[in-house]
C-alpha cells in the first residue's frame, strides 16, 4: 500500500501501470487455465455446490467479484489489468455457453446430466453414486417439495441445477413415511 505522503495522481499509471505487453499475454493464459480448471473442479464436486446456478455461473460470479474487488481496493493495480481480466472472463463465459450449445459432446463433459432418483415410490439407489448423493439427502429434497410419503412420488429427477423435480401420483396410497422420525423404520424395510 502506498503511503499518503508518497502519493501523486498519475492517470496514465492508474490506467496502464508500468507493465509491458507481455503481462497481458500472461493474463490471457492465466484466465484460460484457471477458468477451464475451475469449471472441471466445480463439475467434479457436484450439483450440491452450485445449487440453482450452473457451474459456469458460479465461476463467473467468483472470478468477476475478485477482479472487480482488486481493481477498487488496490491502487497499485492499474485499471487496465482488471478490465482485461473481466473482459476475458466475460468472453470465456460467452464461448463456454456457445460451445456447450453447439457441441453436445462438450456439454456432456461440462454439465451434469439429469438423474432419476425415484420411480413409482421406490428409490433408484443405483443412480445415487453417479452424483454422490445418499438416501437421506434424497429424503430431505423430497420433504422440501412437501412430500411426506415415498409412495406419493411417481417420478423424481435430480436436475442439473441440484434441485429435485417431483411428479406425484394422482391418488397415492400413503405408505413409507420419509419424515425424520420414521426414516429408520423405512430403511429397515428397504434392507428386507
Amino acid at each position: 500500500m502506498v503511503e499518503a505522503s508518497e502519493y501523486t495522481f498519475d492517470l496514465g499509471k492508474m490506467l496502464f501501470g508500468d507493465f509491458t505487453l507481455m503481462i497481458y499475454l500472461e493474463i490471457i493464459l492465466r484466465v484460460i487455465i484457471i477458468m477451464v480448471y475451475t469449471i472441471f473442479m466445480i463439475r467434479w464436486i457436484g450439483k450440491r455446490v452450485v445449487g440453482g446456478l450452473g457451474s459456469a455461473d458460479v465461476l463467473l460470479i467468483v472470478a468477476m467479484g475478485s477482479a472487480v474487488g482488486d481493481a477498487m481496493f488496490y491502487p497499485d493495480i492499474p485499471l487496465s489489468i482488471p478490465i482485461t481480466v473481466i473482459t476475458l472472463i466475460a468472453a470465456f463465459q460467452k464461448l463456454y455457453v456457445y460451445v456447450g450449445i453447439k457441441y453436445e459432446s462438450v456439454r456432456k463433459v461440462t454439465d451434469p446430466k439429469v438423474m432419476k432418483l425415484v420411480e413409482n415410490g421406490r428409490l433408484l439407489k443405483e443412480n445415487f453414486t453417479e452424483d454422490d448423493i445418499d438416501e437421506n439427502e434424497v429424503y430431505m429434497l423430497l420433504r422440501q417439495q412437501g412430500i411426506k410419503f415415498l409412495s406419493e412420488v411417481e417420478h423424481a429427477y435430480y436436475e442439473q441445477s441440484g434441485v429435485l423435480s417431483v411428479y406425484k401420483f394422482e391418488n397415492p396410497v400413503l405408505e413409507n413415511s420419509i419424515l425424520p422420525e420414521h426414516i429408520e423404520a423405512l430403511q429397515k424395510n428397504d434392507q428386507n
Side-chain angles (χ1 to χ4, degrees):
M1 201 75 169
V2 177
E3 293 292 322
S5 61
E6 299 171 7
Y7 177 76
T8 57
F9 181 77
D10 182 347
L11 185 61
K13 191 170 183 176
M14 180 180 81
L15 293 175
F16 302 107
D18 298 326
F19 298 113
T20 66
L21 184 60
M22 288 305 290
I23 190 75
Y24 296 99
L25 296 174
E26 181 180 331
I27 289 170
I28 291 169
L29 185 59
R30 285 172 173 267
V31 168
I32 290 169
I33 291 169
I34 292 299
M35 294 292 279
V36 169
Y37 177 76
T38 307
I39 281 177
F40 281 110
M41 288 297 100
I42 290 172
R43 173 63 181 101
W44 180 65
I45 291 169
K47 296 175 188 176
R48 286 185 297 269
V49 173
V50 296
L53 300 172
S55 56
D57 298 324
V58 170
L59 176 58
L60 182 70
I61 291 166
V62 170
M64 287 273 198
S66 176
V68 168
D70 287 352
M72 291 188 290
F73 189 69
Y74 298 110
D76 54 333
I77 296 176
L79 293 179
S80 59
I81 301 290
I83 287 171
T84 302
V85 171
I86 291 166
T87 303
L88 287 168
I89 291 168
F92 183 89
Q93 173 69 2
K94 288 294 230 179
L95 180 65
Y96 176 80
V97 169
Y98 173 78
V99 169
I101 290 169
K102 186 102 172 135
Y103 303 102
E104 188 174 336
S105 59
V106 172
R107 188 171 48 252
K108 284 180 180 178
V109 172
T110 60
D111 293 339
K113 66 181 184 177
V114 175
M115 294 300 307
K116 188 180 228 181
L117 299 181
V118 181
E119 183 174 58
N120 297 322
R122 187 180 75 73
L123 295 177
L124 300 176
K125 293 180 184 178
E126 61 272 14
N127 292 345
F128 290 9
T129 56
E130 186 137 349
D131 277 316
D132 294 326
I133 192 167
D134 68 18
E135 259 178 81
N136 292 318
E137 288 177 272
V138 175
Y139 294 145
M140 175 194 66
L141 292 169
L142 287 167
R143 288 191 300 269
Q144 289 174 343
Q145 297 293 320
I147 302 296
K148 293 180 185 174
F149 297 92
L150 196 54
S151 60
E152 293 179 70
V153 182
E154 184 176 7
H155 304 284
Y157 297 93
Y158 197 38
E159 302 290 351
Q160 291 174 328
S161 64
V163 172
L164 196 66
S165 296
V166 178
Y167 298 91
K168 299 196 267 185
F169 284 109
E170 283 285 321
N171 299 308
V173 175
L174 300 179
E175 56 188 19
N176 298 329
S177 171
I178 61 169
L179 297 178
E181 58 271 19
H182 301 131
I183 293 292
E184 192 174 310
L186 180 60
Q187 289 172 336
K188 283 181 185 174
N189 285 344
D190 268 358
Q191 291 172 352
N192 295 336

